[in-house]
Amino acid sequence: MYRYDEFDHDFVKARVAEFTDQVERRLAGEITEDQFRPLRLMNGVYLQLHAYMLRVAIPYGTLNSRQLRMLAHIARKYDKGYGHFTTRQNIQYNWPALSDMPAILADLASVEMHAIQTSGNCIRNVTADHFAAAAADEVADPRPYAEILRQWSSVHPEFSYLPRKFKIAVTGAERDRAAIQVHDIGLHLKKNAAGELGFAVYVGGGQGRTPMIAKKIRDFLPEEDLLSYTTAILRVYNLNGRRDNKYKARIKILVHETGVEELTRQVEAEWEALKDGELKLPEADVRAIEAYFAPPALVARPEGDEAVKTARLDSRSFGEWLDQNVLTHKNPDYAAVTISLKGIGEVPGDATDSQMEAVADIAEKYGFDELRVSHEQNLILPHVARADLKAVYDALVEIDLATANSNLISDIIACPGLDYCALANARSIPVAQQISLRFASLERQRDIGELKLKISGCINACGHHHVGHIGILGVEKKGAELYQVTLGGSGDEHTSIGEIVGRGFGPEEITDAIETVVDTYLRIRNDRTEKFIDAYRRVGAAPFKEALYGSEAKAA
Amino acid sequence: MKILTANRLTDGEAVWFSTDHRWAETIDHSEIASDKAGEERLEAIGHAGLANNEVVDVNLIDVQLVDGEIRPTRLREQIRAAGPTNRNDLGKQARPAVSRAA
């Protein structure tokens, strides 16, 4: 994985020193809250309901065991023994003291981590397919390009005060596991007919209060033009984005209001002036960055097939975990493993300090020291020999992280919601827990099949509800929580925004409503091979409305 | 009825302005404003707390008395006063009920 060079080390160290000084001056009363707030936000420090919150960047979700152990250490020493992995492939701590922030950031810097640009109107952590370098269907590893974008965008003088925050995602496979079409810029790394690498470029996607699917403005951008073209997009946005209205300030609104044709023309015109300049990526530099991401030397482990076959006969639960949480790897002797942070009735994305340490041990012992955080709030071991899968499974059972529910209804994405978040209008976590408990039976979940359920506690949509096959949005109505259900959303290569199915449900009703939706799907599906999203796309919302609202739906 | 709440600058702890004129870590003994004059007085205390860098994010919140205990009207404030609803071992609710007995 990428290692800091001297420049990176000095840069992060200087930032820690700078923010340490700012914190000290704030605590000494030398600067006011109004002066300090933008400074703390630039360093990932928020104020939530119960305490400060620190959001730590995990670039493109890639970690090693040393880094994960440090995250565990921070959770134990400065927080309350756990961390929350987020839909931005980051980790958040919910209880750190402001006075401890300098020490935490120094600890993070010691393992090449930081919290820079995890907040504010700048280019945020660049996200990527969590199965990068492992997935069998990948054209090339998207992370070298995410890293190039990270280096280019870190304290970029022109793009540090954008009209609003800016999120970029990169995928290297046709199967989009990075939800690129709901990002400000989505990059699909692919090869052209000549076998050269480049990108399909999508612009103006996003969720929040005005969900939009990104528009493809270029089908193939040569690799060497990545930064010049991205700069052109950012420059057009920076100049023309709506700074007059926070709710209209994202690039998706600019794309919508300008029209994709005109916006593309503007970007291309800007790019004409930039493309042959200093932003053109030198081939040698790209290959040098790529070398950092070279997959580990995967020695032949042909005994894996037999080992897995035998172990499967021995243990039904291992077999279920294999079926659900293990992905085909490029190398037939290996597999990519999803470590579910969605135990039945647990908080989606939370991991304790000791779980993090144990996962770090597993990664070191069986996973070539590589880990990923997925935007679906799980951890990934991208390279595990099939021969070691049973040992990994047994180790995960020990720490209660072997739930075999990847992509099933209990693999729920949920934002922190009103239990923690100052922006939230309703709780998300307890709703996720109730639904998880209702569908606790793995047999039932497997019968239902792939179903992505996503919950947000406010319209900002951190829980990605717009692209959930079933989405739940918590709102506050007359002082009480109310949950709106959306159906038919999807965040993959066939991205769609879910449609609101009807009036909302109270906290006591929402789990029943979800069960009604699921039962309706089971009734109308052609057969077990027709997934929820496919059945919904075939029949539309009508049978679900009928089941949820009965005659009320007909009258409407 | 309103009370004054904020988060402590140093550690972000949720606090309420209490009848003994300090920022307390529990809501139980908050000073209650029942009229406009009382609210203005609390607001001034809040401004002062912000200005002397003791607290941040200062707000007057609506409360009612339920069986003699102060209860915020909004769920958000109930959660601030108790802790996350999904984890009884975190937040104020996890502490020994010293203040309730007092």
Side-chain angles (χ1 to χ4, degrees), chain A residues 26 29 33 47 49-52 80 82 97-99 347 418-420 422 427 429-430 433 476 481, chain B residues 7-14 50 53 56-57 74-76 79-80 83-87 90-91:
Chain A
R26 176 68 189 116
E33 184 62 13
L47 181 63
L49 295 187
H50 312 291
Y52 290 100
K80 293 187 185 287
Y82 69 104
L98 181 60
S99 48
V347 180
L418 192 56
D419 283 300
Y420 293 97
R427 288 172 295 166
I429 293 168
Q433 290 174 306
E476 182 181 355
E481 294 165 301
Chain B
N7 291 75
R8 197 159 55 205
L9 170 67
T10 51
D11 58 3
E13 178 86 33
L50 188 64
N53 302 306
V56 292
D57 201 15
R74 289 185 69 196
L75 176 62
R76 177 189 203 274
I79 291 172
R80 280 183 77 242
T85 63
N86 64 301
R87 290 274 306 259
L90 297 175

Side-chain angles (χ1 to χ4, degrees), chain A residues 202-219:
Chain A
Y202 293 79
V203 172
Q207 300 197 54
R209 71 182 56 228
T210 318
M212 301 254 187
I213 297 172
K215 310 291 185 295
K216 184 153 81 174
I217 64 167
R218 223 172 205 272
D219 190 55

Side-chain angles (χ1 to χ4, degrees), chain A residues 108-129:
Chain A
L108 286 170
S110 74
V111 295
E112 305 186 355
M113 297 185 83
H114 59 73
I116 300 164
Q117 288 182 208
T118 58
S119 176
N121 294 335
C122 53
I123 299 168
R124 303 285 188 90
N125 186 32
V126 178
T127 53
D129 184 350

Side-chain angles (χ1 to χ4, degrees), chain A residues 374-386:
Chain A
S374 78
H375 80 274
E376 294 180 319
Q377 299 180 287
N378 292 313
L379 295 176
I380 309 289
L381 296 167
H383 317 290
V384 177
R386 289 171 57 76

Side-chain angles (χ1 to χ4, degrees), chain A residues 20-175:
Chain A
T20 298
D21 177 60
Q22 289 161 346
V23 170
E24 281 168 4
R25 285 192 288 146
R26 176 68 189 116
L27 292 172
E30 290 168 19
I31 47 178
T32 66
E33 184 62 13
D34 283 347
Q35 290 166 328
F36 181 65
R37 191 170 172 274
L39 301 177
R40 72 164 157 78
L41 288 175
M42 281 177 194
N43 291 284
V45 180
Y46 288 72
L47 181 63
Q48 299 279 52
L49 295 187
H50 312 291
Y52 290 100
M53 179 270 276
L54 177 66
R55 181 181 294 153
V56 177
I58 301 174
Y60 30 87
T62 294
L63 279 171
N64 61 29
S65 62
R66 189 164 155 253
Q67 291 172 320
L68 187 57
R69 281 195 193 98
M70 182 54 79
L71 296 179
H73 166 77
I74 290 167
R76 181 175 296 136
K77 183 166 180 188
Y78 304 104
D79 208 87
K80 293 187 185 287
Y82 69 104
H84 178 72
F85 290 98
T86 77
T87 53
R88 302 273 317 136
Q89 298 182 301
N90 290 326
I91 187 170
Q92 295 181 178
Y93 296 102
N94 289 309
W95 306 87
L98 181 60
S99 48
D100 284 335
M101 293 299 174
I104 298 173
L105 294 178
D107 282 353
L108 286 170
S110 74
V111 295
E112 305 186 355
M113 297 185 83
H114 59 73
I116 300 164
Q117 288 182 208
T118 58
S119 176
N121 294 335
C122 53
I123 299 168
R124 303 285 188 90
N125 186 32
V126 178
T127 53
D129 184 350
H130 42 270
F131 290 121
D137 62 349
E138 181 178 273
V139 169
D141 189 337
R143 295 172 304 156
Y145 306 96
E147 172 57 26
I148 289 167
L149 289 164
R150 183 196 71 78
Q151 294 189 12
W152 159 81
S153 65
S154 294
V155 292
H156 192 299
E158 188 178 339
F159 304 135
S160 288
Y161 295 92
L162 294 167
R164 197 77 180 85
K165 59 186 165 185
F166 203 91
K167 300 173 182 175
I168 304 175
V170 198
T171 176
E174 282 297 324
R175 178 83 210 275

